[in-house]
Structure formats: structure tokens, C-alpha cells
Amino acid sequence: MERYKKASEGIHAPDELKRNVIETPSAARKRPPKAVWLGAAAAVLAVVLLVGVVPRLAGVGRTGAGAPDGAPAPGGMSGGAPMSSPASGEAPGSAPSSPPQAGEPGAGFAEAVPLAVAVYPENTPYPQEEDYRAADGSLDDAYFEAINLWWNTTITARQAQAPAEDGLAPFCAAALPEFLGNSGGENRVFSPLNVYLALSMLAETAGGNSRQQLLDLLDAENIEALRQRASGLWNANYRDDGAVTSILAASLWLNEDLAGAYHQDTLDTLARDYFASAFSGEMGSEGYNQALRSWINDQTGGLLKDAAQGLSMDPDTVLALVSTVYFRANWADEFNDNLSAEGTFHAPGGDVTVTYLHQSGTGTYYWGEGFGVVRKDLATAGAMWFLLPDEGVSVDDLLASGAAAEFLAADKAGWQGQKRLKINLSVPKFDVSSDLDLAEGLKNLGVTDVFDSAVSDFTPLTDLPGLFVSEAEHAARVTLDEKGVEAAAFTYLGVAGGEPPLEDEIDFTLDRPFLFAIESATGQPLFVGVVNHP
């Protein structure tokens, strides 16, 4: 995580430009704002709503994400602790009720004045069986009525809110080889959804060719189309109903010395359409930096606190933009602990001993040119895909050829290479993470102007000239065990074929480097990663 031990992140402006801005008197800057602008669109839909904050749930004791007094972590998860089996009657994938243990949640928020705290409505809760059991142990009719209500207002409604066209597919085709390929034998994890939403927000702050380059990468005709797609992706993937925890969050960190330099309409758009909480504070101060880190830790359950700890904003930072995602779900059919056993994994650097999880059952085996694939369902939450290269084919080969991205984006019902058979699945238990510098990769993908102060255009954000993105960082982590998966990511943008199986049974043993993807219930890839060392 060495690259996080820097103090140069942010969109920057030269000191002489900042001195030309009419500053708000310091005494006034320290006072709370008279009005707090909220995401007005939050009340428009009755189901899971878009853009990135923990909802303020009445009667549950949870404050809105980004609240200055510090909010509990999404879903009440406990700072990255290993998953345990749910208690009797507990919903699949539900998070522990204890508050996050990582990094003193909310510490340092006294140095960050909240300008916008996004809030949105409650999710329909997943019915808990123990609340509906009769004396004889049977479930009464009210339980099935509650299940139907939850299904219609959560699953069916979310599917209807998903974008008609999955705009992530072209982005994934370009981004996965760039950011996961040539890993040098190291593990890598990338969240396409998280980076896509972060770049969408960046596009809102950019203008001219700077914006157009982002629109081209994100496969959007114009900013309005991108905004609508981002809204659909958010609606389709945000969920915190007691059955699944899939939390998206966003925040803006503004320089209090430039209070009069920001264009309010752009800040309003980000708060309203992306549900981005906004803060103002003293750039470069340890208190403001700690507020940033605490906010990230709160939204990611402490899974990425090492990466967050190194983040800091220097005095020249004009705006820091942060997007996060936290996901947690149990398997629809959990692995049997008694079947777990040690085995050999053929890592690039030599064989290593790992713990394998074993399970056999009937399922669909998929294959393509150079790889085979097995899917394992998550409880009401989508699925995890395991892509195993054929012998003699590397993970980098699959990424470079586009075969992996093509499969992930494909309609699996129409995929030619597939067969129902008995699958003996052996997957290593793993906890993989990575931190990626996105800057060079984005430049390679055609996004160059925002990194060059001579040509960048941030006029939708401010009239200050000479701004540039000085750093673009992405950290992600995925853990897998017998019970399910847990994953988190943040993006920080500173504004300074093979052959079909011959038998009806296959041993699908992931004992060499492989690809995985966590897919949401509506089909978007939340996380994609390369496991070279379980």
C-alpha cells in the first residue's frame, strides 16, 4: 500500500490563483452551514434508491452516511471480521448487528463541516422467520405475504430499475485487460461498478474535451445519458434489506479556502443525482484527512483501512471525490466445513498449500476458447463466477484476448458452450486485495486531458484555471469462505474456446491462477479479480 503514503492527491490550483478567490472569513467558515442541501430525488422511488450513502433508517439508530457525528458501518458490519454462520432464523447474508470496529468510526468529523448529507428511504425488510412462527413451529400465512411484498418491492423492482442496456459491458471490455492484465504474478481486484460511478461523477465536474474523453470511455452519448445510466446502475445494485448488504456511497471533500469558487449547480447535481455527501474543511490538516479516512472506513466496514490510512489531501487540493462499494452475501448453498481440506495450489512462484472448499452438485458448466467456467449462486444476491484457464493458457491470455470480458457480458442463456452435468467444485479459500493506480491506465484508455493542467477543463466545477487530477487510486478486497463472500472497494479521485466436456461429470478444481467475478442479481459485475496466490 506504499502508493497511499503520499500527500499529493487532489485536483490542484496554484497558490496565486487561490489568493484571488474571495475567501469566506475564517470565523464564518467554522460555523455550521445555515442550510443543508439534501438529495431531493431520494423520495421519488419507493424501493432501493441510488447513489451512495447508508440510508437513514428510522428506529434503527443509524445515522446518514457522512453525518459529522460518524455513522455505523453499512449494514452494521463489524470491521472486516470473518463471516460467521447466521443465527437461527437470520436472513442469508445479513451482517452482524455490532458497529464497525475499525478506525474509530467518525473520528475526525469535527474538522469536516457537512454541506450535504444524502439521505434516502428505507428498504423493505427481509422477513425474519422467527417473527412468524406459530407455537407448533410452522410459518403462518403472514410470513408468505411478507415474502411476496419483499420480493416485489426489492427483487422485481430492482430488476425493472436496471439500465435497459448494460453500459458496463463496453467499459469492462476496455478496463479489465488494462487494470487486471500483466499482474506479474500478484493478486488483483477491480470493481467495475465502483470505478464507473466514480468516473461518472468526475465527468459531471469536467467540461469540453475533458468530459468527452470520459463519456467515450463510459460509452455514453452525453452527460444526461450518463447520469441516467448511473442512476439506473445505482438503483439496481444498492441494497440493505437484512438479506443482502450491497452499499454504495459517495462523497465530495471541498477546500474551505475556496468556498466562493465552486459552482453550486454542479454540487447540487452530485448531491441530488449521485447522492454524494459533501464536506468542507481545511485542506492539508490532519483532522480533515482523518475525517476522510474515517468516512471511507465507515462505508467499507474497515476492510480497506490500510489503504485508507495512507490517503491525505494537501493544502492545494481543490476537490477530492470518493466512491465506495461494500458487498456481503452468503452462499445459497453453503460449503460443508467438514469437507474442507488442505491441498496444493500451483502459484506462479511455486506450489503452495491452501485450504480447499469442496462441494458436488448438478449445475451448468460453461466453456469458451481457452477456459472453463462454473457459477455458484449467492442467496438472493446474484452469483460468483469462477473462470479457470485451460492448461497452458494464462489469466493474462484470457484478459488480453477479451474472452473473459466477453463471457461476463454475455447472455448466459444463449452462450453456445454450456452443458448441465455433475460438478465437483474445489475452490481455495482466499482473501485477496490490491491497490491500483488508475492514472496511467486511464490515459491508455483515452482519458488524458483531466491529468494535464494545460488542457484540462473543470469549468462545470469552478472557473479556476490550471486544475488537474493529480492522483486516481482504486483499492479493493474480496474474501471467500465456507459461508459466503465479503468485498469492498473505493476509488479516490483528486481534483490538483476450448472443447465441451465428454462426460456428464467434471472435476472443476481451481488449483492454478484463475479469474473470479461477483455478479449482482441484475447482472452487473461488482468485482472482478485475479487470484495468483490464495
Side-chain angles (χ1 to χ4, degrees), residues 95-462:
S97 58
S98 58
Q101 304 299 311
E104 299 182 3
F109 272 105
E111 301 298 326
V113 176
L115 301 179
V117 178
V119 181
Y120 43 111
E122 301 180 28
N123 291 190
T124 300
Y126 184 87
Q128 304 297 320
E129 290 186 5
E130 66 268 21
D131 296 335
Y132 297 89
R133 288 202 180 278
D136 62 0
S138 63
L139 291 169
D140 60 28
D141 291 342
Y143 171 76
F144 299 101
E145 293 174 2
I147 282 287
N148 286 334
L149 175 64
W150 168 81
W151 183 270
N152 291 332
T153 58
T154 302
I155 305 301
T156 303
R158 284 171 65 249
Q159 291 171 343
Q161 293 159 5
E165 293 186 11
D166 186 2
L168 284 181
F171 175 68
C172 284
L176 294 186
E178 183 65 43
F179 295 113
L180 294 181
N182 300 314
S183 61
E186 298 299 321
N187 297 324
R188 286 193 181 176
V189 186
F190 181 75
S191 173
L193 177 67
N194 178 242
V195 175
Y196 192 95
L197 292 174
L199 294 178
S200 297
M201 293 176 65
L202 183 64
E204 295 280 2
T205 71
N209 199 51
S210 296
R211 173 180 284 180
Q212 189 59 52
Q213 290 176 349
L214 288 162
L215 292 176
D216 290 344
L217 176 60
L218 300 176
D219 194 44
E221 183 176 353
N222 51 50
I223 194 65
E224 291 78 18
L226 178 62
R227 193 177 300 151
Q228 183 178 9
R229 181 184 293 160
S231 171
L233 288 170
W234 195 279
N235 276 307
N237 290 286
Y238 177 87
R239 190 169 158 196
D240 188 21
D241 57 6
V244 173
T245 303
S246 180
I247 302 294
L248 311 176
S251 60
L252 309 172
W253 301 78
L254 309 178
N255 190 328
E256 67 178 8
D257 290 334
L258 302 176
Y262 300 106
H263 293 163
Q264 189 65 43
D265 56 345
T266 297
L267 298 181
D268 289 343
T269 295
L270 291 169
R272 180 187 65 247
D273 295 325
Y274 294 84
F275 282 47
S277 295
F279 302 95
S280 178
E282 181 185 352
M283 285 294 181
S285 69
E286 182 54 30
Y288 200 33
N289 285 331
Q290 185 54 43
L292 168 69
R293 298 166 194 146
S294 295
W295 185 90
I296 291 174
N297 287 333
D298 286 351
Q299 301 311 312
T300 58
L303 283 183
L304 299 169
K305 66 178 182 178
D306 288 341
Q309 183 57 37
L311 287 176
S312 61
M313 303 170 286
D314 69 23
D316 289 335
T317 303
V318 173
L319 167 72
L321 183 157
V322 184
S323 176
T324 64
V325 57
Y326 175 87
F327 179 84
R328 178 172 176 158
N330 283 4
W331 302 118
D333 182 14
E334 295 181 4
F335 289 94
N336 186 335
D337 296 7
N338 295 326
L339 298 180
S340 299
E342 291 189 345
T344 300
F345 185 89
H346 308 295
D351 290 354
V352 294
T353 300
V354 300
T355 299
Y356 279 95
L357 312 178
H358 299 284
Q359 191 174 73
S360 295
T362 301
T364 301
Y365 174 73
Y366 301 85
W367 66 91
E369 185 63 40
F371 66 94
V373 187
V374 165
R375 166 189 171 121
K376 184 161 175 58
D377 288 334
L378 295 163
T380 75
M384 191 162 184
W385 296 90
F386 299 100
L387 287 75
L388 183 65
D390 291 347
E391 292 283 0
V393 179
S394 71
V395 168
D396 286 343
D397 292 336
L398 288 186
L399 290 166
S401 70
E406 179 187 4
F407 176 82
L408 293 176
D411 176 6
K412 306 306 186 293
W415 187 261
Q416 185 174 3
Q418 61 175 287
K419 185 176 182 179
R420 292 284 294 180
L421 40 69
K422 181 180 179 182
I423 299 172
N424 302 315
L425 175 64
S426 298
V427 57
K429 214 169 163 179
F430 65 76
D431 180 347
V432 297
S433 62
S434 65
D435 55 280
L436 305 175
D437 185 343
L438 300 180
E440 286 305 312
L442 290 174
K443 292 175 186 177
N444 293 339
L445 295 174
V447 178
T448 58
D449 283 13
V450 294
F451 296 100
D452 185 349
S453 61
V455 296
S456 63
D457 181 350
F458 285 98
T459 52
L461 173 68
T462 177

